[in-house]
């Protein structure tokens, strides 16, 4: 038997480039190398104590059984209150489905709405799993590239030009992974105007980095625009803003018929998500956001530190990210150069070479739809970030 026996849908899938690079970094570290991994998008903070205490209480209180498919009522209500408080979104508990992470929520929404042959417009650069989720649903990804000079953001004109009679959905993240770009309220209203003119298009808005936003205007949810509210699926969770990656709690908020469809799908695939994690998430959504603001301040400091250091490296082109915890430099200056042994053909070569030469794990931009770039996570201690940038600078000096 061989992998050829796997279903075609699995054979066609690409491996997650972020998880793939993280795996290689761990293998090198296990061999005794001092690897600094900046490949994974994970806060380096511990989950706040009051959230952990809520989980312990849930265990003591006996929440050991299966949970409702769409989530516990108190969690769905807490999410509804959070959406009203933070996002100007008026949804009730019946409009919310809790899933095993925002990644699961995105996959559910695509599977519930996309038919074979439907087109999904994806604003690029995009998170590595978007196009693969569309592929699993037998849809067609239509990639629209945001320009470096526009901070990687797609314009309404680009969006409209990509629409065809087969377009069913547009999906994007703001703040963005991998670029850190943030769409302003004005920009999102312009995008919403395009959606409003095309009544069969749905918006899948990934807002998982909502609290890590450094812009003066702050976060704006496209789902709060009344004209298109019924066609927006808002996805969020606790991973980034509450430092709860391993707890695996995400959610969608959408029109009831969409939420019902997702609940139906989830009921046949995973059922309700972890009961203890749900009770912890109630505390996260109902509690103070002081921890989120503290983490945001640290990420703000780190992005400035890393961008300053990267701009010292000859040939690197670097935008200042407005959100999330990534830097996304254009490294194409080094394509075609060599250290005498290895020729750097593309970003995949560059990142693999950098890991082998400098023991710094980054992620090639190719998996994000931006093959001239690489992603660096700034969710690490300041000292590690400085050392990583110094290692990178020393390494690329060998390329001629």
């Amino acid at each position: 038997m061989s992998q050829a026996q796997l279903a075609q849908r699995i054979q066609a899938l690409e491996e997650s480039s972020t998880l793939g690079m993280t795996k290689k970094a761990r293998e090198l570290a296990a061999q005794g190398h001092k690897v600094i991994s900046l490949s994974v998008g994970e806060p380096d903070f511990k989950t706040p104590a009051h959230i952990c205490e809520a989980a312990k209480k849930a265990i003591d209180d006996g929440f050991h059984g299966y949970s409702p498919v769409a989530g516990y009522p108190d969690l769905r209500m807490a999410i509804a209150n959070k959406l009203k408080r933070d996002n100007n979104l008026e949804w009730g508990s019946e409009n919310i489905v809790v899933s095993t992470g925002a990644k699961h929520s995105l996959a559910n929404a695509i599977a519930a709405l996309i038919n074979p042959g439907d087109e999904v417009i994806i604003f690029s650069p995009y998170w590595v799993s978007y196009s693969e989720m569309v592929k699993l649903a037998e849809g067609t990804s239509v990639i629209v590239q945001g320009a470096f000079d526009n901070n990687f953001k797609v314009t309404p004109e680009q969006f409209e030009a990509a629409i065809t009679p087969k377009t069913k959905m547009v999906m994007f993240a703001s703040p963005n992974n991998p670029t850190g770009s943030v769409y302003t309220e004005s920009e999102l209203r312009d995008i919403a105007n395009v959606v409003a003119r095309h009544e069969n298009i749905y918006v899948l808005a990934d807002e998982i980095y909502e609290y890590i936003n450094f812009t003066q205007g702050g976060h704006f949810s496209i789902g709060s625009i009344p004209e298109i509210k019924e066609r927006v699926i808002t996805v969020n969770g606790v991973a980034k803003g509450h430092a709860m990656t391993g707890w695996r709690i995400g959610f969608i908020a959408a029109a009831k018929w969409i939420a019902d469809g997702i609940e139906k799908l989830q009921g046949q695939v995973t059922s309700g998500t972890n009961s203890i994690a749900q009770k912890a998430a109630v505390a996260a959504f109902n509690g103070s956001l002081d921890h989120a603001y503290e983490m945001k301040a640290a990420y703000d400091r780190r992005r400035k530190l890393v961008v300053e250091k990267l701009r010292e490296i000859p040939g690197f082109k670097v935008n200042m990210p407005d959100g999330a915890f990534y830097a996304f430099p254009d490294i194409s200056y080094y394509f075609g150069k060599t250290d005498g042994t290895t020729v750097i053909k593309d970003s995949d070569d560059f990142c693999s070479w950098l890991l082998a030469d400098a023991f710094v794990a980054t992620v090639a931009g190719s998996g994000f739809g931006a093959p001239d770039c690489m992603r660096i996570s700034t969710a690490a201690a300041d000292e590690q970030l400085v050392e990583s940038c110094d290692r990178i600078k020393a390494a690329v000096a060998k390329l001629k």
Side-chain angles (χ1 to χ4, degrees):
M1 294 296 179
S2 70
Q3 289 194 353
Q5 301 303 312
L6 292 172
Q8 286 294 321
R9 73 178 68 87
I10 302 304
Q11 292 187 50
L13 279 184
E14 298 289 338
E15 181 186 25
S16 167
S17 55
T18 54
L19 298 181
M21 186 57 80
T22 302
K23 179 182 177 182
K24 291 178 183 178
R26 285 173 178 159
E27 289 170 353
L28 280 174
Q31 295 169 20
H33 298 290
K34 294 182 179 179
V35 177
I36 300 177
S37 183
L38 304 180
S39 58
V40 68
E42 183 165 27
D44 61 323
F45 296 94
K46 292 182 178 179
T47 303
H50 72 282
I51 297 173
C52 295
E53 289 302 321
K56 295 173 187 176
K57 185 175 187 300
I59 294 172
D60 292 340
D61 289 349
F63 285 94
H64 307 156
Y66 291 129
S67 62
V69 172
Y72 283 123
D74 58 341
L75 175 54
R76 294 164 78 192
M77 181 55 67
I79 293 169
N81 292 337
K82 170 259 179 295
L83 290 171
K84 184 175 182 180
R85 177 192 72 204
D86 297 344
N87 308 95
N88 195 30
L89 274 169
E90 295 275 355
W91 287 126
S93 297
E94 68 276 10
N95 300 102
I96 292 160
V97 179
V98 178
S99 302
T100 307
K103 190 174 193 175
H104 186 198
S105 298
L106 290 165
N108 277 348
I110 292 168
L113 283 169
I114 300 303
N115 289 309
D118 284 345
E119 292 180 353
V120 178
I121 294 173
I122 300 176
F123 290 180
S124 180
Y126 54 85
W127 184 49
V128 293
S129 295
Y130 286 0
S131 58
E132 300 308 302
M133 290 174 178
V134 172
K135 189 185 294 182
L136 270 177
E138 299 182 64
T140 300
S141 295
V142 177
I143 308 301
V144 181
Q145 187 70 44
F148 181 92
D149 292 341
N150 193 39
N151 208 19
F152 295 107
K153 291 188 281 190
V154 172
T155 67
E157 293 77 19
Q158 286 179 287
F159 171 32
E160 185 130 41
I163 294 172
T164 75
K166 293 183 178 180
T167 305
K168 181 73 173 287
M169 180 182 284
V170 59
M171 64 184 300
F172 59 89
S174 180
N176 179 270
N177 173 5
T179 66
S181 302
V182 174
Y183 284 86
T184 66
E185 177 178 346
S186 175
E187 289 167 336
L188 288 173
R189 288 189 180 279
D190 287 343
I191 290 166
N193 287 338
V194 176
V195 174
R197 291 195 291 271
H198 299 271
E199 61 183 20
N200 295 318
I201 295 178
Y202 294 84
V203 179
L204 187 52
D206 182 349
E207 302 189 356
I208 192 66
Y209 291 93
E210 169 189 5
Y211 294 139
I212 311 171
N213 184 330
F214 313 115
T215 63
Q216 211 166 20
H219 183 78
F220 180 80
S221 293
I222 193 169
S224 66
I225 300 173
E227 292 79 6
I228 63 167
K229 177 187 175 184
E230 295 293 320
R231 289 189 281 135
V232 177
I233 304 101
T234 300
V235 172
N236 209 327
V238 296
K240 314 300 185 180
H242 297 284
M244 294 176 68
T245 51
W247 298 78
R248 310 310 298 141
I249 296 290
F251 67 85
I252 64 98
K256 189 174 185 302
W257 66 271
I258 297 175
D260 288 347
I262 289 172
E263 181 178 4
K264 182 179 180 181
L265 168 64
Q266 187 161 292
Q268 293 291 3
V269 180
T270 61
S271 298
T273 194
N274 183 284
S275 58
I276 306 305
Q278 286 193 59
K279 291 301 179 182
V282 172
F285 287 123
N286 284 343
S288 166
L289 290 175
D290 287 350
H291 60 274
Y293 299 136
E294 289 171 9
M295 288 189 289
K296 175 184 167 182
Y299 294 136
D300 187 16
R301 182 184 69 251
R302 292 167 177 178
R303 67 163 178 148
K304 293 171 182 173
L305 171 67
V306 168
V307 168
E308 181 181 350
K309 295 286 290 183
L310 291 177
R311 285 177 175 170
E312 295 174 359
I313 300 175
F316 273 35
K317 292 166 58 181
V318 194
N319 284 339
M320 179 65 77
D322 287 326
F325 42 63
Y326 306 103
F328 201 60
D330 182 317
I331 55 170
S332 58
Y333 171 83
Y334 289 97
F335 297 171
K337 297 188 184 298
T338 179
D339 63 356
T341 303
T342 303
V343 177
I344 306 298
K345 297 186 293 294
D346 51 32
S347 60
D348 292 274
D349 281 352
F350 186 92
C351 291
S352 294
W353 173 82
L354 194 63
L355 179 59
D357 187 272
F359 301 113
V360 177
T362 57
V363 188
S366 54
F368 301 99
D372 287 346
C373 301
M374 72 173 181
R375 193 190 76 172
I376 297 172
S377 171
T378 58
D382 296 39
E383 300 77 22
Q384 282 191 313
L385 294 171
V386 170
E387 183 177 347
S388 297
C389 292
D390 288 343
R391 288 190 193 182
I392 294 170
K393 186 176 182 179
V396 301
K398 304 172 187 175
L399 296 174
K400 308 297 181 186

